[in-house]
Structures are given as C-alpha cells and as structure tokens.
Amino acid sequence: MTSRAAVILAAGQGTRMKSPLPKVLHPVGGRAMLDHAIDAAEALNCERIVVVVGTHSPEVRAHVEKRLGAAAIAVQDPPLGTGHAVLAAREALKGFAGEVVITYGDVPLLKADHIAPVFGAEGVTVLGFEAADPSAYGRLIVDEAGTLKAIVEAKEATPDQLAVTACNSGVIAVDADLLFQLLDQVGNDNAKGEYYLTDIVALARGAGHPTRAVFADEAAVMGVNSQAELAEAERLFQQVRREAFLAAGVTMPAPHTVHFAWDTAVEGGVLIEPNVVFGPGVSIASGARIRAFSHLEGATVASGAEVGPYARLRPGASLGQGAKVGNFVEVKNVTMGAGAKANHLAYLGDGEVGAKANIGAGTIFCNYDGFFKHRTTVGEGAFVGSNSSLVAPVTIGAGAMVGSGSVITADVAPGDLALGRAPQAHKPGWAARFMATMRAKKAKGK
C-alpha cells in the first residue's frame, strides 16, 4: 500500500459559533470535533498527520501539540483560503512520498471508511455526496465513468448545472508531489482574493492528470459552522450509536432518550432504561442493568450489576458482578466487589468496598481533608449502618459492623462493632411537661 498522509484544516475562525471555545474543539459525542478528524486519519494508517491552525486559536495549537506533538502543527497566517492553508503544510510534509488526503477539523461524522475510497488512484480524487438540497454547494460534474470533469460553484453554475445533486465535500486526495505542483499554480483572482483548493482539479485536468469523484453519505460529510449545526451533528451521531447498540442486542425501551459518548462500550444483553447519559470512558458488561436518569463517566460495570435509578458513576468507579448502586448514590474512584451494595443516598469517593459489603443510606466516605484525597477500605461482608461518616484514611475490616449515625476516624478490626456517636441521654417526663406548657400558651393566644 502506498504511504498515506493527512492534512486536516482547522484554521477557521468559527465566528458563527459565537462561542469562546474554538469551533473545532466543540465536542460531538463527548469528543472534540478535531479529535474525530484525527481519529479517522489514524484509522487510515496515515504515517504523517498535519493539522493546519490559525494564530487566533492558541487553544487549538495546544490541543494538537498535546495529542500529536509539535511536528504535526502547521500555521496559516494570514488566512487566505483552503489552497493557501494546504500550502502551509508543505514544510511538515517535506520528504514525504505518497498520497495526501485533505480533510477538515469541523466534519466530525466523517470516518475512515468514508474516506478510504479516495486513495489508490492516479491524479486527483474528490469525495462527493448526493445532496438532498444542493443550494449553495459546489457541484461535481461527473460523467458515467466516474471521471470528474469540473467543480462548479453554485453562483457560477448554469441552470442545468444547478440541477445536479452531486456536490463537493471538500475532501481531496492526491499524490504529495503533484499536490504542491498544482497548488503553486493556483491564483487568487476572485472576489475574496483567496487561493482555493478546488482549483487544482481544473489544473490537473489541464495537465492531463486523471480526476475522479467517489461518494459518501451526505450525513458523513456534514460540516459544523454554527451551534444549530453542532446540535444536528450530535443528533446524527447519537442516532448511529443507538442503532448500532440495538443491533448488537442492547435493550433500550426509549433509545431516543439515551445519550452515548464516542467510546461507550455496551455488550449485548444490557438493559438501559430511559434518560441515561454516558460520558466518555464507560464499559458495560452483558447482563448489567442501567436504570433511568443515571449518569456514568469513566466507569466499568460488570455482568449482573445494577446502577440507579438516579445514580452517578464518576471516573474510576468499578462495579463488580452483581454489585448494586441505587438511587442518589455517587461513586468516584471506588471499586465495589461482587454483590456489594449501596442502595441509596450515599457518597463513595476514593476507596474499595469488598464483596457482599453493605453501605447504608446516608453514608459518606470523607475522602478530602482540604489538601489531599485519602482512601476508605470496607472489607468483604462488612456492614456500614445508615448515616455514617467514614473519615479517611480508614479501614473497616471484613465482617465488621458500623453502627448507624457513627463518625469513624480509626480502623475497625475484622468482626468488630464500631460505634462513634455520643451516648443517648433521657430526661424522664420532660416532653410531657413541655407539651402541656405549649398547649396552655396556645390556649391563651400567646
């Protein structure tokens, strides 16, 4: 296979987003749009990936550098069109021999499978789509053999050309040497004074190089330029994920209410009730049940475990086989063993709960001392009574019990009972005398 490289254009200012966050860093499925584009390039086995950024978005540059390193960054300054943006990547592609695909940081639904057909041909290949409403898109004039005759902008098209529904996605693949030979010939004699990447098609044809078009679904090449389009991209992303999970055997009575992240892993045989939200980093094993109105992120749920309703699993939460986290329970960075239970109204942060241990309602792992986080360990088969506070670092031994309402500040040995509360005092007759006095006052109107 010929070597591959990708140039991802991410230098647009995104003013229509009206957001302080750079456009390409807005998330779809819990992942920045730019990362979706990089994922696709990596899945295509591109040995070089270059992201073209603008000087106006240092956050984008920092994001790329963190993921791919400084060598993957090319800067377009000033912004003078898509052709000029690709020229900015010339130095980063120096010495590369192979095919280059140009993609975009604001097209989050475009995956490797959609892009792959552009590779493997001589000359220039353009990725197109059949538009339901072509309106302002550039038209691809293609013959029956798939030869791309021209790309015609809508404002310059004839009535017959405007009737064409084959449109340009902007994704183009071409041999690296030929790419820069053609770009060096692109002029800017147009209303905006910009250098357009699409001009290389006509230049290639004029030089006798083959030009062709291949096609992807319209949804796959959807670009995001506004908050409304971002919401539509999210809707389409969720639709694809829901359909895939349903096909894999996941039961969802109301799939349209379930929200997945880009990397959510759910095995067939899982039941997901309505209004569940998955953040990134969640893995659910077959036989688990995720009940309504729960939120999971960075969590692992084993077979037979149950979450919710109204539960929150934060990063580091790991539920063993048959474990139960019930309503209004929050778990963060805690491993719960097989059959362990926290049925309601608890906070478990930083620690471990052994197999078949029971955490009573209102229990709190007091994990933060104002400066550092500390761990709480509850042993196998232990019982923690309701409304208890376990002040970390602390260990409750296997089979131990904590009396309800206790504040535990020291380790409890296995099999022991710990009580950390004030002795109960009684004042005989006090309540009766108080009630009689108050009723007398009320009768007098005081």
Side-chain angles (χ1 to χ4, degrees):
M1 184 178 71
T2 305
S3 296
R4 295 173 175 179
V7 176
I8 301 172
L9 304 189
Q13 297 192 25
T15 54
R16 288 170 55 194
M17 297 296 289
K18 297 182 180 179
S19 169
L21 183 68
K23 178 175 69 170
V24 297
L25 298 186
H26 281 75
V28 170
R31 189 161 178 79
M33 292 194 288
L34 178 56
D35 281 322
H36 283 287
I38 295 173
D39 290 345
E42 290 180 338
L44 288 164
N45 297 314
C46 291
E47 64 180 58
R48 292 200 201 181
I49 300 174
V50 182
V51 181
V52 181
V53 304
T55 56
H56 58 278
S57 295
E59 301 96 332
V60 175
R61 180 170 187 155
H63 187 93
V64 175
E65 186 167 353
K66 182 177 181 180
R67 177 163 180 186
L68 298 176
I73 298 170
V75 180
Q76 183 189 24
D77 183 29
L80 294 175
T82 52
H84 180 260
V86 178
L87 280 171
R90 191 201 298 262
E91 184 62 26
L93 289 175
K94 187 175 181 180
F96 173 78
E99 295 179 273
V100 178
V101 62
I102 295 93
T103 66
Y104 300 84
D106 59 358
V107 185
L109 305 181
L110 187 65
K111 306 303 180 187
D113 289 347
H114 302 126
I115 301 171
V118 302
F119 291 109
E122 295 182 3
V124 177
T125 300
V126 173
L127 183 65
F129 63 98
E130 291 288 341
D133 177 14
S135 60
Y137 291 118
R139 305 303 202 272
L140 301 183
I141 309 304
V142 182
D143 66 16
E144 294 180 356
T147 299
L148 178 60
K149 298 293 188 180
I151 300 177
V152 181
E153 296 304 321
K155 60 186 178 182
E156 300 172 358
T158 66
D160 285 345
Q161 290 171 334
L162 285 174
V164 172
T165 57
C167 296
N168 177 33
S169 74
V171 175
I172 294 179
V174 59
D175 176 81
D177 288 339
L178 178 58
L179 171 64
F180 291 108
Q181 289 175 24
L182 295 172
L183 284 172
D184 285 337
Q185 301 173 53
V186 172
N188 66 339
D189 185 15
N190 52 64
K192 292 187 176 181
E194 294 184 350
Y195 300 85
Y196 296 127
L197 177 63
T198 50
D199 287 354
I200 69 171
V201 172
L203 290 168
R205 287 187 59 77
H209 297 287
T211 55
R212 68 177 184 132
V214 295
F215 289 84
D217 292 338
E218 183 173 8
V221 298
M222 174 190 175
V224 172
N225 294 293
S226 67
Q227 295 291 346
E229 290 174 348
L230 180 67
E232 176 63 8
E234 185 69 46
R235 185 190 70 80
L236 292 169
F237 173 88
Q238 294 300 329
Q239 177 178 311
V240 170
R241 295 291 277 161
R242 291 164 187 155
E243 291 174 355
F245 283 127
L246 288 168
V250 176
T251 299
M252 290 185 282
H256 60 285
T257 70
V258 179
H259 189 98
F260 295 103
W262 66 280
D263 61 348
T264 306
V266 184
E267 293 180 354
V270 171
L271 169 61
I272 304 175
E273 294 182 0
N275 298 297
V276 172
V277 176
F278 294 97
V282 176
S283 178
I284 312 294
S286 181
R289 182 181 184 184
I290 312 300
R291 303 197 62 188
F293 294 98
S294 295
H295 188 286
L296 298 81
E297 181 177 359
T300 301
V301 180
S303 178
E306 185 172 328
V307 178
Y310 295 96
R312 184 181 182 196
L313 300 188
R314 292 171 57 193
S318 179
L319 274 58
Q321 187 170 9
K324 170 70 184 296
V325 170
N327 50 289
F328 304 106
V329 175
E330 180 178 349
V331 181
K332 188 269 292 185
N333 195 29
V334 168
T335 298
M336 298 185 68
K341 295 180 180 179
N343 281 321
H344 29 233
L345 301 165
Y347 170 68
L348 313 182
D350 298 303
E352 182 177 350
V353 178
K356 297 186 178 180
N358 186 87
I359 307 297
T363 295
I364 298 172
F365 285 10
C366 305
N367 58 329
Y368 184 51
D369 64 7
F371 295 94
F372 301 103
K373 297 288 181 71
H374 303 280
R375 291 180 62 81
T376 297
T377 300
V378 178
E380 182 174 344
F383 180 91
V384 179
S386 298
N387 203 35
S388 295
S389 297
L390 309 183
V391 183
V394 70
T395 296
I396 311 300
M401 298 184 70
V402 173
S404 296
S406 294
V407 177
I408 302 300
T409 59
D411 292 351
V412 180
D416 281 5
L417 168 65
L419 298 171
R421 59 195 182 202
Q424 185 168 313
H426 292 259
K427 296 184 178 181
W430 187 93
R433 294 192 298 272
F434 175 77
M435 292 292 186
T437 300
M438 297 307 293
R439 280 194 288 267
K441 288 183 177 182
K442 187 175 182 181
K444 292 180 180 180
K446 293 183 178 180

